[in-house]
Amino acid sequence: MEKRQELYAGKAKSVFATDDPDRVVLQFRDDTSAFDGERMESLARKGMVNNRFNAFIMGKLEAAGIPTHFEQCLSDTESLVKTLTMIPVECVVRNIAAGGLVKRLGVEEGRELSPPTFELFLKNDALHDPMINESLAETFGWATPQQLAEMKALTFKVNAVLKQLFADGGLPLVDYKLEFGLFKGRIVLGDEFSPDGCRLWDAKTRDKMDKDRFRQGLGGVIEAYEEVGRRIGVDFT
Ligand code: CDP
């Protein structure tokens, strides 16, 4: 496999072509963004930590029968993944009320959500990722009803696997965001799963162990990501 030209640079990751059109290299950078890219900072070791974290989680999800784009780690900060046509819709599941839900509906932060909620957002920084629904996604051609149904089922299947995995590490999985794409016509989990795209609280202290540490200027961001990784068995060496 030969790494070729950069195809795309996102806020925290870059994508490179390879000699195989069905495979691209995902490079995890140290760049950290919040508030739709309004705040950017470089955090040492973040690229390595998120690359290893994501590889570990994608492995667990594949083992549970969830199709993912992940193929293999290539280096500390690079992974080989399937080339997807991304669906511009973010799927969010919440087990505990926090973040946008608390702001929007005025519910109490920390309230257990039973059953867990499922929300769709349009991936569009300029519009601040507005909330959408199945009807809008179908009308504007962002995803078909069949694709949306499959994305929803897979997002909840991920919840079953990861809620348990993190709970075993003393870390309630508060909420998370997933993105999917198409590979040869099939829905596949893309993007990454790391503390950048989910909320995890320490079960005892209720300390935030995720990107909220960056958003809220609490410090110790990467130390918290590493601690989460250690508790669930990620190998950072
Ligand atoms: O975090 P924020 O208030 O912007 O939005 P949210 O709807 O409360 O986010 C729910 C979950 O999805 C959190 O774990 C966020 O970190 C994650 N998320 C994300 O990773 N990327 C986005 N563009 C929006 C949410």
Side-chain angles (χ1 to χ4, degrees), residues 36 90-94 98-101 103-104 119 121 123 125 129 175-177 179 195-199 211-212 215:
D36 304 309
E90 302 184 337
C91 297
V92 170
V93 158
R94 301 176 195 270
L101 185 81
K103 265 193 232 139
R104 210 164 56 232
E119 293 156 54
F121 297 89
K123 194 172 164 66
D125 276 343
D129 296 343
D175 56 28
Y176 58 91
K177 180 262 306 178
E179 293 179 28
D196 269 0
C198 68
R199 289 193 172 91
K211 197 171 168 181
D212 272 349
R215 295 189 189 99

Side-chain angles (χ1 to χ4, degrees), residues 51-231:
N51 183 42
R52 299 285 180 213
F53 197 107
N54 177 62
F56 178 85
I57 296 287
M58 292 283 169
K60 293 281 180 199
L61 297 177
E62 283 282 356
I66 294 155
T68 81
H69 68 156
F70 182 80
E71 294 278 313
Q72 64 179 106
C73 271
L74 297 174
S75 73
D76 268 1
T77 58
E78 295 164 307
S79 286
L80 188 66
V81 300
K82 296 182 183 76
T83 311
L84 304 187
T85 304
M86 293 306 290
I87 294 171
V89 170
E90 302 184 337
C91 297
V92 170
V93 158
R94 301 176 195 270
N95 296 304
I96 299 173
L101 185 81
V102 167
K103 265 193 232 139
R104 210 164 56 232
L105 302 182
V107 297
E108 191 194 345
E109 184 179 63
R111 175 170 160 180
E112 292 266 349
L113 302 171
S114 182
T117 61
F118 179 76
E119 293 156 54
L120 298 174
F121 297 89
L122 179 66
K123 194 172 164 66
N124 185 322
D125 276 343
L127 297 177
H128 305 292
D129 296 343
M131 192 177 198
I132 58 167
N133 60 28
E134 277 91 343
S135 165
L136 291 167
E138 182 184 2
T139 294
F140 292 109
W142 296 317
T144 67
Q146 294 79 358
Q147 289 168 346
L148 291 163
E150 203 172 326
M151 286 158 63
K152 182 176 180 178
L154 287 171
T155 303
F156 276 115
K157 198 166 174 184
V158 166
N159 200 35
V161 177
L162 297 188
K163 229 172 108 168
Q164 189 61 55
L165 176 76
F166 288 114
D168 291 344
L171 295 158
L173 176 58
V174 174
D175 56 28
Y176 58 91
K177 180 262 306 178
L178 301 180
E179 293 179 28
F180 294 89
L182 292 170
F183 184 72
K184 300 183 192 292
R186 211 168 56 116
I187 294 272
V188 169
L189 178 62
D191 192 42
E192 69 178 284
F193 193 102
S194 74
D196 269 0
C198 68
R199 289 193 172 91
L200 295 156
W201 294 345
D202 182 276
K204 288 203 190 92
T205 63
R206 306 305 267 181
D207 280 349
K208 297 181 195 318
M209 305 292 283
D210 53 65
K211 197 171 168 181
D212 272 349
R213 298 199 71 82
F214 177 72
R215 295 189 189 99
Q216 298 174 11
L218 299 174
V221 180
I222 300 310
E223 290 76 5
Y225 288 22
E226 287 171 318
E227 170 66 13
V228 171
R230 269 192 296 275
R231 289 203 208 172

